[in-house]
């Protein structure tokens, strides 16, 4: 009997149906080994050697897995195709102490379909120890930050407080945005626009330049004078033009992009999105949902192009299949994007209720749109002058622009949802304007405005910021947001993230004593170093030594700053250089 080990029971049941007789499929239910809860579990003086234990409550499961491993004629470890999955595989095999005569394979697939699973089994690869090293480095850094900084925060702030390497950066962004809002002083400014007509067709032009410079008015009076001047002036089109612009589709979803779109379009929290995506993945409906890559398998592109031509016609099919490049920092380009495993299966085919089917529909739409032709717009613009007579303009320039959709292209299938405070381009039809055309002024529009403070983060906007700055991994965003909310550091009000008093106090403490390690740019740089470990370019020890050289002095300084009555018992092993 050949043995396949996966992570979840649902995945095990699905794969067992694909492999048939002669195969046994077991689920390890995630990590089986980890650092202990009641001790640091990292020997800093011994090159940061970790001590792993079998997780509480998993003893019987591990015994059953080890028995199955010993009885198997061949073992295929098919955990998820990422760092965590590779580490789970390594820990299982280490616990089993497999002899040299027993064949062991690593099978990795990005979709749970019969074709993908059987292909992965037929073409296994060795265990990638560089990925294991990168995961180990990440786990040790997280443990050192959480286990050593959290007690200091709790003692200094007198309460239950905890620090986390990425969680604290997430909190910091929310707190700093709140400070920006609190310190913001609104400024009043005024604008002038003209309601005009030509041949009875109305349109609007905005004041663009005064004496060759962009106008700025803090009071209304100058604009009242300009409006009075324009009341007796002639207005004409100085220049006009029309052009065609294309709008290309977005690439298929990465994890972060899916979480953002699901929050905006479906009102789903990142945590809920990941739970639903996990279910869709395990059911074989979508490819692996933890990814920051935008690549698409050639066979999936071919299937999409055939579907587009059949459903919408050749006009909606680009001449060549598009190739997308990830724009986020530290993206792992080799990973495939999130897409349907079979583009012919629509959302109403999904055996999932409510949100699950809706999320699948979103993934399907974004993927299909990514393979479609660009949308085409006709853009018309004009410069408008005013003066005593045509050809003798005042030093004023007005401009108007309109955009109309000529060909919907990918918009036939998908339009990216937006937040309430995001500006979406308006589509307005301008009359046919040409040089020298005389215009009629209907009325000048003088409007008062006030600059606005930056908006509080929505969950989608915060994820976009984390991704843009390379903080954490897409698979961790949902957990980060859940953690800071459940621990009472941040609350969600009208879909906006607001730091609590406890969150602000904790952020103040951490940025005062651990600013270098918990800075956004340092966290992003550490992610890049972990990627370098995964690629075999540097070692785990390189990363840990550099991290400790920055963290240890800050740890010592934070401990020394505590009042004597609350200072923790020193840890000589951990605090000496």
């Amino acid at each position: 009997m050949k043995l396949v080990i996966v992570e979840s029971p649902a995945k095990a049941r699905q794969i067992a149906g694909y492999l048939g007789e002669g195969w046994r499929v077991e689920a390890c239910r995630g990590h089986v080994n980890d650092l202990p809860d009641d001790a640091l579990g990292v020997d800093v003086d011994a090159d940061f050697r970790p001590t792993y234990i079998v997780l509480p409550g998993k003893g019987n499961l591990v015994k059953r897995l080890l028995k199955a491993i010993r009885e198997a004629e061949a073992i295929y470890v098919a955990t998820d195709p990422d760092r965590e999955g590779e580490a789970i595989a390594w820990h299982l095999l280490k616990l089993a102490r497999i002899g040299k005569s027993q064949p062991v394979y690593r099978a990795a697939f990005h979709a749970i379909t019969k074709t993908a699973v059987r292909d992965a089994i037929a073409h296994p690869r060795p265990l990638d120890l560089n990925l294991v090293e990168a995961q180990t480095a990440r786990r040790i850094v997280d443990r050192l930050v959480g286990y050593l900084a959290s007690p200091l925060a709790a003692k200094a702030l007198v309460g239950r407080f905890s620090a986390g390497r990425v969680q604290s950066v997430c909190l910091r962004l929310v707190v700093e945005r709140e400070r920006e809002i609190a310190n913001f002083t609104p400024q009043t400014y005024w604008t002038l626009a003209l309601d005009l007509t030509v041949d009875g067709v109305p349109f609007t032009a905005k004041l663009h330049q005064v004496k060759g410079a962009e106008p700025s008015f803090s009071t209304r009076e100058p604009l009242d004078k300009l409006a009075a001047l324009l009341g007796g002036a002639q207005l004409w089109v100085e220049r006009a033009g029309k052009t065609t612009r294309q709008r290309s589709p977005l690439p298929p979803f990465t994890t972060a992009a899916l979480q953002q779109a699901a929050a905006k379009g479906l009102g789903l929290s990142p945590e809920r999105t990941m739970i639903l995506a996990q279910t869709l993945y395990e059911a074989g409906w979508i490819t692996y949902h933890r990814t920051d890559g935008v690549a698409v398998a050639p066979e999936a592109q071919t299937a999409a192009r055939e579907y587009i031509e059949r459903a919408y016609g050749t006009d909606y099919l680009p001449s060549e299949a598009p190739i997308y490049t990830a724009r986020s920092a530290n993206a792992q380009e080799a990973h495939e994007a999130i897409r349907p495993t079979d583009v012919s299966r629509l959302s109403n085919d999904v055996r999932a209720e409510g949100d699950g089917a809706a999320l699948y529909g979103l993934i399907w739409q974004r993927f299909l749109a990514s393979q479609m032709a660009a949308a085409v717009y006709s853009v018309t613009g004009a410069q408008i002058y005013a003066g005593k007579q045509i050809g003798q303009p005042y030093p004023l320039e007005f401009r108007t622009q309109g955009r109309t959709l000529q060909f919907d292209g990918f918009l036939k299938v998908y339009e990216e949802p937006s937040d309430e405070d995001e500006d979406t381009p308006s589509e307005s039809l301008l009359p046919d304007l040409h040089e020298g055309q005389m215009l009629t002024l209907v009325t000048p529009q003088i409007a008062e405005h006030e600059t606005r403070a930056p908006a509080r983060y929505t969950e989608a906007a915060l994820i976009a910021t984390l991704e843009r700055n390379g903080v954490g991994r897409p698979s961790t965003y949902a957990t980060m947001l859940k953690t800071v909310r459940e621990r009472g550091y941040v609350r969600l009000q009208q879909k906006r993230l607001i730091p609590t008093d406890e969150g602000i106090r904790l952020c103040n403490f951490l940025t005062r004593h651990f600013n270098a390690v918990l800075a956004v740019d340092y966290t992003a740089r550490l992610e890049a170093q972990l990627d370098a470990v995964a690629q075999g370019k540097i070692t785990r020890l390189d990363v840990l030594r550099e991290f400790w050289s920055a963290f240890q002095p800050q740890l010592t300084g934070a401990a020394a700053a505590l009042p004597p009555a609350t200072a923790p018992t020193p840890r000589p092993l951990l605090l000496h250089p």
Side-chain angles (χ1 to χ4, degrees):
M1 183 76 69
K2 296 178 181 179
L3 174 67
V4 177
I5 301 175
V6 296
E7 282 165 303
S8 77
K11 191 190 297 186
R13 289 190 294 270
Q14 191 85 359
I15 291 173
Y18 297 148
L19 297 178
E21 294 184 4
W23 292 86
R24 177 178 177 181
V25 186
E26 290 284 350
C28 64
R29 299 176 182 269
H31 283 277
V32 295
N33 265 11
D34 199 4
L35 300 172
D37 286 336
D38 56 356
L40 178 63
V42 178
D43 190 341
V44 175
D45 283 345
D47 287 337
F48 305 92
R49 184 179 63 237
T51 298
Y52 290 105
I53 63 166
V54 174
L55 285 169
K58 285 205 168 182
N60 291 333
L61 172 63
V62 169
K63 287 180 182 177
R64 188 176 81 244
L65 289 173
L66 297 187
K67 183 174 183 293
I69 288 172
R70 286 192 295 270
E71 295 172 350
E73 60 184 83
I75 301 107
Y76 293 80
V77 186
T79 46
D80 287 343
D82 54 19
R83 289 181 199 161
E84 296 300 318
E86 210 74 15
I88 291 170
W90 181 81
H91 281 291
L92 271 171
L93 297 176
K94 188 176 181 184
L95 283 172
R97 298 180 180 177
I98 297 171
K100 294 182 179 179
S101 62
Q102 197 171 17
V104 178
Y105 307 101
R106 174 72 166 108
F109 41 78
H110 293 266
I112 303 177
T113 63
K114 182 180 289 188
T115 300
V117 169
R118 288 184 169 182
D119 184 67
I121 295 294
H123 303 92
R125 61 168 173 80
L127 197 68
D128 190 334
L129 294 180
N130 288 330
L131 286 179
V132 177
E133 286 290 281
Q135 190 276 344
T136 305
R138 193 274 307 162
R139 186 69 186 95
I140 290 173
V141 169
D142 287 351
R143 170 52 63 99
L144 292 172
V145 172
Y147 197 86
L148 299 178
S150 294
L152 297 174
K155 291 179 183 295
L157 303 176
V158 191
R160 298 188 64 179
F161 290 89
S162 65
R165 179 180 63 87
V166 183
Q167 157 205 322
S168 298
V169 177
C170 181
L171 172 63
R172 180 175 187 167
L173 288 170
V174 176
V175 171
E176 289 181 349
R177 175 58 59 88
E178 196 68 17
R179 289 194 181 118
E180 286 183 64
I181 295 170
N183 295 330
F184 182 80
T185 302
Q187 303 291 326
T188 300
Y189 66 99
W190 297 79
T191 59
L192 173 63
L194 304 180
D195 289 343
L196 303 163
T197 63
V198 59
D199 298 329
V201 180
F203 68 100
T204 300
K206 297 179 180 179
L207 181 61
H208 179 68
Q209 285 189 346
V210 176
K211 296 182 179 179
E214 183 178 348
S216 177
F217 298 98
S218 58
T219 61
R220 180 184 177 119
E221 288 74 17
L223 293 180
D224 283 331
K225 293 178 181 179
L226 285 179
L229 179 67
L230 293 170
Q234 293 188 18
L235 293 103
W236 65 91
V237 177
E238 179 71 13
R239 293 187 186 87
K242 183 178 289 188
T243 187
T244 298
R245 291 182 185 169
Q246 291 190 346
R247 179 182 169 195
S248 298
L250 293 168
F253 281 129
T254 60
T255 302
L258 176 63
Q259 291 174 350
Q260 293 169 58
K264 297 173 187 177
L266 303 177
L268 300 178
S269 70
E271 179 190 9
R272 178 68 173 155
T273 296
M274 293 304 284
I275 290 172
L276 292 170
Q278 178 83 28
T279 302
L280 292 171
Y281 168 66
E282 291 179 352
W285 289 88
I286 64 172
T287 54
Y288 191 52
H289 56 293
R290 294 186 178 93
T291 176
D292 51 13
V294 291
V296 177
E299 60 270 21
Q301 287 193 314
T302 299
R305 290 174 65 81
E306 291 173 353
Y307 184 94
I308 292 165
E309 185 172 16
R310 184 170 64 250
Y312 304 107
T314 55
D315 287 346
Y316 289 86
L317 197 63
S319 58
E320 295 182 356
I323 298 175
Y324 293 104
T325 302
R327 291 180 294 177
S328 63
N330 306 329
Q332 298 175 32
E333 294 284 357
H335 291 186
E336 193 173 359
I338 304 170
R339 61 167 176 84
T341 55
D342 183 352
V343 74
S344 67
R345 294 194 294 196
L346 307 181
S347 57
N348 54 8
D349 298 325
V350 176
R351 292 183 294 275
E353 297 181 0
D355 292 341
L359 186 66
Y360 176 82
L362 194 68
I363 293 168
W364 184 92
Q365 291 169 349
R366 172 86 169 231
F367 169 66
L368 196 70
S370 75
Q371 305 303 305
M372 294 177 72
V376 180
Y377 291 87
S378 174
V379 180
T380 304
Q383 294 172 290
I384 294 169
Y385 285 1
K388 290 184 178 181
Q389 61 184 37
I390 189 168
Q392 296 181 6
Y394 300 136
L396 306 174
E397 180 186 317
F398 294 83
R399 286 194 182 180
T400 186
Q401 182 171 293
R403 186 181 78 157
T404 55
L405 183 64
Q406 298 294 306
F407 173 64
D408 54 2
F410 73 91
L411 295 174
K412 187 88 171 177
V413 172
Y414 178 79
E415 174 66 285
E416 181 75 358
S418 60
D419 273 334
E420 298 171 3
D421 51 16
E422 288 181 356
D423 293 328
T424 54
S426 59
E427 297 181 12
S428 59
L429 182 63
L430 286 179
D432 186 19
L433 301 175
H434 54 83
E435 187 174 331
Q437 195 171 26
M438 301 302 297
L439 308 173
T440 301
L441 175 62
V442 177
T443 183
Q445 296 283 356
I446 300 173
E448 181 182 15
H449 309 272
E450 192 172 77
T451 55
R452 293 189 300 173
R456 291 186 174 108
Y457 286 112
T458 60
E459 290 183 306
L462 183 57
I463 286 172
T465 301
L466 293 169
E467 181 188 30
R468 185 169 59 252
N469 288 285
V471 176
R473 274 279 171 246
S475 57
T476 66
Y477 295 155
T479 303
M480 275 191 284
L481 289 170
K482 178 184 177 184
T483 299
V484 295
R485 287 174 58 188
E486 286 187 344
R487 291 182 177 171
Y489 304 148
V490 168
R491 59 190 173 90
L492 198 60
Q493 180 178 306
Q494 297 180 336
K495 298 183 179 180
R496 302 285 172 171
L497 294 165
I498 303 174
T500 63
D501 290 343
E502 289 79 8
I504 293 172
R505 291 174 62 211
L506 176 60
C507 183
N508 289 343
F509 174 83
L510 293 175
T511 53
R512 182 182 309 120
H513 295 291
F514 300 99
N515 185 60
V517 169
L518 299 179
V520 172
D521 57 347
Y522 178 84
T523 307
R525 192 164 67 253
L526 181 59
E527 292 295 339
Q529 290 177 326
L530 294 175
D531 283 342
V533 174
Q535 296 161 10
K537 295 178 179 178
I538 60 175
T539 70
R540 180 214 319 174
L541 198 54
D542 293 333
V543 173
L544 295 175
R545 283 174 173 166
E546 182 178 334
F547 162 78
W548 188 249
S549 68
F551 183 62
Q552 190 270 341
Q554 293 187 331
L555 196 65
T556 304
L562 293 177
T566 62
T569 302
R571 301 171 183 260
L573 174 66
L574 301 173
L575 297 183
H576 71 68

